[in-house]
C-alpha cells in the first residue's frame, strides 16, 4: 500500500482459546492490541490485527513444538480450512473505532509425512498459526486459496485499503 508506519507491539495477553469461535477470538485480540497502543498514541491511526487458522470446529494456533506442528499439517492434508484475520483501526483524536474480520479458504494438497519433513526444513512452523506460512514453500502443501492471499499472510490489504477509503483516509499519494 506504500504506507509509512511504525511497528509498536502491544504488551497485551492474547486469548487463543477461542471459546466463542475463531472469528470472535481474532476480533477480540485485534481490538485488545489496537486499544492498548492507541492509548499511548491518541493522535495516530493505529492498526491492530490477529490471525488464526480453523479446521472444522478446531482452532489451530501456533504449535508448541515440531510434533504438534506435524500433527496439524497431517490433519489439514487434503482438506480445506479457514483463515480468519481481524483488523482493528483506532484513532482516538478522530473518534474512530473500526473493526472487521476477513476470511479465506485454503485447500491443502494431499501429502505424505515426508513432505511435512521437507517443508519444515524450509519453513519454521512454530511461529505460525496452523503450522504453516503461505509466504514460503507454498507449492509444497497448498493446492488453492479462495479469498485474499494477503489475508492468509496476516493482513488483508485490499479490505484494509477499502476500509481506509471509506473512513476518508486516502494514501494514494504515498506510493
Amino acid at each position: 500500500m506504500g504506507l509509512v508506519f511504525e511497528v509498536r507491539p502491544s504488551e497485551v495477553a492474547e486469548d487463543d482459546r477461542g471459546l466463542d469461535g475463531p472469528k470472535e477470538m481474532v476480533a477480540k485480540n485485534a481490538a485488545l492490541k489496537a486499544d492498548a497502543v492507541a492509548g499511548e498514541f491518541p493522535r495516530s491511526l493505529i492498526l491492530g490485527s490477529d490471525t488464526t487458522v480453523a479446521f472444522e470446529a478446531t482452532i489451530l494456533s501456533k504449535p508448541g513444538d515440531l510434533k504438534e506442528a506435524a500433527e496439524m499439517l497431517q490433519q489439514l492434508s487434503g482438506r480445506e480450512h479457514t483463515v480468519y484475520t481481524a483488523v482493528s483501526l483506532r484513532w482516538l483524536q478522530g473518534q474512530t473505532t473500526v473493526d472487521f474480520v476477513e476470511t479465506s479458504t485454503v485447500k491443502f494438497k494431499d501429502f505424505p509425512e515426508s513432505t511435512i519433513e521437507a517443508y519444515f526444513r524450509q519453513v519454521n512452523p512454530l511461529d505460525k498459526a496452523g503450522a504453516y506460512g503461505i509466504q514460503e514453500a507454498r507449492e509444497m502443501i497448498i493446492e488453492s486459496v479462495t479469498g485474499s492471499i494477503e489475508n492468509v499472510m496476516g493482513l488483508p490489504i485490499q479490505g484494509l485499503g477499502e476500509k481506509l477509503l471509506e473512513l476518508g483516509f486516502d494514501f494514494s499519494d504515498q506510493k
Side-chain angles (χ1 to χ4, degrees):
M1 292 177 67
L3 301 178
V4 177
F5 62 91
E6 291 182 34
V7 176
R8 300 283 184 164
S10 66
E11 300 298 326
V12 299
E14 296 180 48
D15 182 358
D16 290 336
R17 296 172 297 163
L19 299 177
D20 296 325
K23 182 177 180 179
E24 292 77 10
M25 181 188 81
V26 294
K28 287 177 184 175
N29 285 336
L32 276 173
K33 295 174 191 179
D35 290 339
V37 176
E40 295 178 47
F41 302 94
R43 295 175 39 181
S44 299
L45 176 63
I46 305 300
L47 183 151
S49 79
D50 193 51
T51 301
T52 199
V53 171
F55 174 67
E56 296 174 351
T58 304
I59 293 173
L60 302 177
S61 297
K62 295 175 184 176
D65 56 32
L66 288 177
K67 181 180 183 288
E68 185 180 4
E71 290 169 357
M72 285 183 184
L73 293 188
Q74 287 169 341
Q75 184 178 23
L76 297 174
S77 176
R79 298 183 171 133
E80 288 185 342
H81 61 276
T82 305
V83 177
Y84 296 84
T85 299
V87 175
S88 293
L89 299 170
R90 302 291 187 267
W91 180 33
L92 298 184
Q93 185 177 14
Q95 299 180 352
T96 300
T97 301
V98 173
D99 301 289
F100 67 96
V101 177
E102 281 206 24
T103 61
S104 298
T105 302
V106 179
K107 171 101 189 296
F108 268 21
K109 294 178 180 179
D110 192 8
F111 46 77
E113 191 173 321
S114 60
T115 298
I116 295 171
E117 294 166 5
Y119 182 75
F120 288 173
R121 285 192 291 273
Q122 294 187 43
V123 177
N124 174 11
L126 299 182
D127 66 343
K128 296 167 179 53
Y132 77 95
I134 198 163
Q135 301 93 316
E136 313 167 87
R138 73 176 101 180
E139 69 283 351
M140 294 179 74
I141 60 171
I142 296 175
E143 183 174 308
S144 64
V145 176
T146 304
S148 167
I149 288 178
E150 289 81 9
N151 185 56
V152 180
M153 289 182 193
L155 187 63
I157 59 172
Q158 296 90 351
L160 173 60
E162 291 170 10
K163 197 63 71 177
L164 290 171
L165 281 174
E166 285 174 22
L167 293 169
F169 294 101
D170 183 359
F171 297 106
S172 59
D173 62 345
Q174 297 285 317
K175 295 178 183 177

